[in-house]
Amino acid sequence: MTTMEVVGLIVLSYIAGSMPFGYWFGKIINGPDYDIRDHGSNSIGATNAFRVLGWRIGLPVFILDAFKGYGPALLGMKMVNPAFGGICLILAGIGHAFSLYFFWKEGKFSGGKSVATYFGGLLALQPIVAMVGLAVFIVVVASSRYVSLGSMLGVVGALVCGCLMRLAAPWIVILSAMTLMIIVFHRRNIARLIEGCENKLGQKAEETDSTSSFLLHGKDFSQFDLTRITKAFKMLIDRGWVSERQARNLIVKSPILEVGEITGIEYPDGTTGRVLLEALPMLADQIKDPANLPALETLMPSGAVLAKRRGASVYTLGALTSSFGRGGQDLQDWCDKRRLGLTVDNGAGATAAATVEVMEELLPESLPLTECTIAIVGASGIIGHILWHYFCRRQVKELILVGRDERKMEDMAAKAAVITTDLARVSEADVVICTTSAADYIFTKENANLIKHGAVVIDVAIPYDFDDAILKTRPDIQLARSGLILLPGDFQCNMDFGFGEIETKWGIKYLVPACLAQSQILAKTREFGYASRLATSVSADAIDFYRKWLRLLGMKVIVSRIAEPVAYGLAKGH
C-alpha cells in the first residue's frame, strides 16, 4: 500500500468509530429533540441504549458499534498486517469516545466508552482473546450486576489471556493500550463504584416529580472525608506516604464527582423529589485562591453538564462555590449560551428565609422589630443583600450593614441604613447576622467583646463566621446556626452533612442546608425567576416566597441553638 492509502485507512478508522449510532437511533425513535446523552448513563453506547431504549434498539446499536471496530480492524489486517489492524481498532475506539460528529455539530467532543467497538475489533484480530474477555465480562456482570466493572475486568481478562497465550510483543502493546483506554473512559464509573452510587444492571433511577442537583465541598483536611476518594488521600497523609502539599496539588486537578443522591422526598401533595449530590474536591481556601480560578472555570461547567445529563432542572452551588462567578450568574450565562436548559442557583433565598424564621423564634416578646437594631455582617454578599431587602420593608429600629467594600453597598445607602466597614459597629446591635463567604472565623475569642451583652447571633455562613469557643467566656450570647432544614417524608440520604440529625416517625434523619432545600423548591415550583445569583437580581419578595414554600412543601426549619462550645466546625460534605 502507498503512504496515502495507509493514511486514508487511519482516517477512515477514526471516522467509522465516530458514527454515534445510539444517538441517531434515539432521535429516530423519540424525535429530533431527543438526546440519549440526557438519559441513563449519558453515553451514546450500546449499554445505555439497552438501558433507556430497550433491547430491540440496544441490540442493533451493539452490533453496529461492534462493527465499527470489526470493519477497520479487518481492513487494516488484510490490507497491511495484523498489527496495523490493531492500530486501526484503537483509532476506531478513540473515534467512538471522542466522536468527530459531535465536534462538528456542537464544537466539543462527546461519545461512549468504546467497549463494544473494541470487542468487535478483537473478534477480527484475536477471536480467542475476545471470547475470553467476553466470558470474564459475563461472569462479573452476572455476579455483581455492574456493567462498568464487567467491561473493565473484561479487557483486563483479554490482556491476561494474550499474555498467557504468549502473543507477540506488538499484540501485548495493543491489548495494553486498549485496556488502559477502556479504564480511562470509565474513570467516572470508577469514582461512582468507589462512592457506592454506580447503577446496577436492571436498576432504574427513581422517577420523581422534581429533580435538582447540589454541589458541595469540604473545608480542610480535618474534614476531608467528603468522599471515599478524598478520604483515601487523608489516610495517605496520616500514614506519611504523601504530604499535605502533594495531596492538595492532586485534588485541584480532580474532577467533580458524583457522591450519591437524596431519594424518597415526599411532599404533602403526594409528589416526590430527588436531589443529586456532586462534590468539588477542592478545599475552602483553594476555592478562594485566585490561582485556582482557571481550574474552577473548567470544573464548574462540567458539573453543570453532569447535573443536566443526570436529569436535574436546577443546579445549586453550595458553600463557597455559591460566590463563584458573580454568584453563579457567569455559569448561568454559559448554560444559556449552550442552550443547556438548566437553572443555576446559589441557595441564598431559602437560606435568608430560614434566617428570618430563626430570628423570629429567638427574639423575646419584649423586643419587637420596631425596637430592634440588626447588624448584617457580610451585607455586600448575596444573602446579606436579600436580608437587607427584607428588613427595609419591615420597621426595624436601625439596620447596620457591615462589609469589606463600601462601594458594593452604595445602592443600600438610600434606605437609611448604616453602611460601614468597621466591625466594631456591631456592638450596637441586638441581633447580629453573620453571612460572609470568608474561609475563616470573623468573630473569635480575641474580638468577642464587640458583641453586645445578651445579643442574639445568627450564623448563616458556611464556613461559620462565629467561633463557638467564644461561649466559654460569653455565655450571655444567644448563638444559633441558621439554614438547617428537615426534608419531608421518609427520605434516604447517604451523605451526613454534619448539621446533626433528628428523630422523626421514620427514624433518625440527617438535617440538610437550606440552600439544598431551595434547589428542590425551584425544581418543584418551576418558579425559576426566584433563583438566587447576582445580589442585585434577587427580587425583594424572595424571602416571602421561600418562607411560603418551605411551609407548603413540609420543609421544617430547625432552630439550632448552641448553648455551649461544641466541636461544630464546617459541616461534612458542605
Side-chain angles (χ1 to χ4, degrees), residues 79 88 165 179 272 296 400 439 471 489 530:
M79 298 178 69
C88 291
M165 290 175 62
T179 301
T272 57
L296 277 172
I400 302 172
L471 300 181
Y530 283 99

Side-chain angles (χ1 to χ4, degrees), residues 146 190-199 228 258-260 494:
Y146 287 122
I190 294 171
R192 287 195 293 267
L193 285 165
I194 293 172
E195 298 299 334
C197 57
E198 174 77 333
N199 287 332
R228 293 177 183 174
E258 301 164 52
V259 291
N494 69 329

Side-chain angles (χ1 to χ4, degrees), residues 492-503:
Q492 305 300 313
C493 178
N494 69 329
M495 177 69 68
D496 179 1
F497 289 87
F499 290 123
E501 52 192 26
I502 194 168
E503 179 73 41

Side-chain angles (χ1 to χ4, degrees), residues 138-392:
I138 292 173
V139 170
V140 173
V141 173
S143 58
S144 70
R145 293 174 55 208
Y146 287 122
V147 175
S148 59
L149 183 62
S151 298
M152 289 184 285
L153 292 182
V155 293
V156 171
L159 173 60
V160 172
C161 176
C163 294
L164 293 176
M165 290 175 62
R166 298 181 182 278
L167 295 179
W171 285 114
I172 301 303
V173 172
I174 290 168
L175 290 172
S176 298
M178 290 167 48
T179 301
L180 178 62
M181 292 174 68
I182 289 290
I183 291 174
V184 170
F185 294 161
H186 281 81
R187 59 192 180 279
R188 286 200 176 276
N189 301 84
I190 294 171
R192 287 195 293 267
L193 285 165
I194 293 172
E195 298 299 334
C197 57
E198 174 77 333
N199 287 332
K200 293 186 176 183
L201 182 66
Q203 177 183 345
K204 293 184 177 180
E206 179 187 2
E207 295 294 330
T208 59
D209 300 286
S210 55
T211 300
S212 59
S213 184
F214 185 73
L215 180 65
L216 42 88
H217 71 82
K219 178 187 177 185
D220 52 36
F221 279 105
S222 68
Q223 296 157 339
F224 205 44
D225 52 0
L226 172 61
T227 72
R228 293 177 183 174
I229 293 174
T230 52
K231 188 181 293 184
F233 276 114
K234 189 173 185 299
M235 180 194 70
L236 294 175
I237 293 170
D238 292 341
R239 295 187 179 183
W241 293 350
V242 298
S243 68
E244 182 174 321
R245 180 179 179 181
Q246 291 171 327
R248 291 171 65 87
N249 290 336
L250 286 171
I251 62 174
V252 169
K253 298 176 176 63
S254 300
I256 287 178
L257 302 172
E258 301 164 52
V259 291
E261 56 188 63
I262 303 175
T263 59
I265 302 171
E266 303 165 10
Y267 296 119
D269 62 0
T271 58
T272 57
R274 178 168 66 121
V275 182
L276 310 171
L277 302 176
E278 298 181 11
L280 178 70
M282 286 191 194
L283 305 176
D285 65 313
Q286 292 176 309
I287 294 172
K288 300 285 286 185
D289 187 349
N292 293 325
L293 182 58
L296 277 172
E297 289 175 340
T298 299
L299 287 171
M300 299 296 275
S302 72
V305 171
L306 181 60
K308 180 61 178 178
R309 293 276 167 82
R310 296 175 72 196
S313 60
V314 178
Y315 186 48
T316 296
L317 312 180
L320 292 184
T321 65
S322 63
S323 59
F324 168 79
R326 299 184 299 157
Q329 185 61 50
D330 290 346
L331 185 57
Q332 183 67 70
D333 293 343
W334 185 91
C335 292
D336 292 343
K337 183 177 180 180
R338 286 153 183 79
R339 299 180 181 179
L340 201 59
L342 184 72
T343 295
V344 178
D345 174 60
N346 60 37
T351 303
T355 299
V356 172
E357 295 273 336
V358 171
M359 188 188 74
E360 292 185 354
E361 175 74 19
L362 293 179
L363 277 180
E365 293 183 4
S366 59
L367 185 60
L369 276 180
T370 54
E371 299 179 17
C372 187
T373 297
I374 300 174
I376 302 175
V377 181
S380 59
I382 298 170
I383 297 174
H385 205 279
I386 299 172
L387 289 168
W388 165 74
H389 264 302
Y390 180 80
F391 289 125
C392 282

Side-chain angles (χ1 to χ4, degrees), residues 502-536:
I502 194 168
E503 179 73 41
T504 72
K505 65 179 181 180
W506 294 285
I508 298 293
K509 298 293 182 183
Y510 291 129
L511 297 177
V512 303
C515 44
L516 183 149
Q518 177 165 324
S519 74
Q520 270 295 289
I521 291 173
L522 292 174
K524 167 69 175 169
T525 64
R526 315 297 291 183
E527 295 280 358
F528 299 131
Y530 283 99
S532 308
R533 287 188 292 274
L534 283 169
T536 53

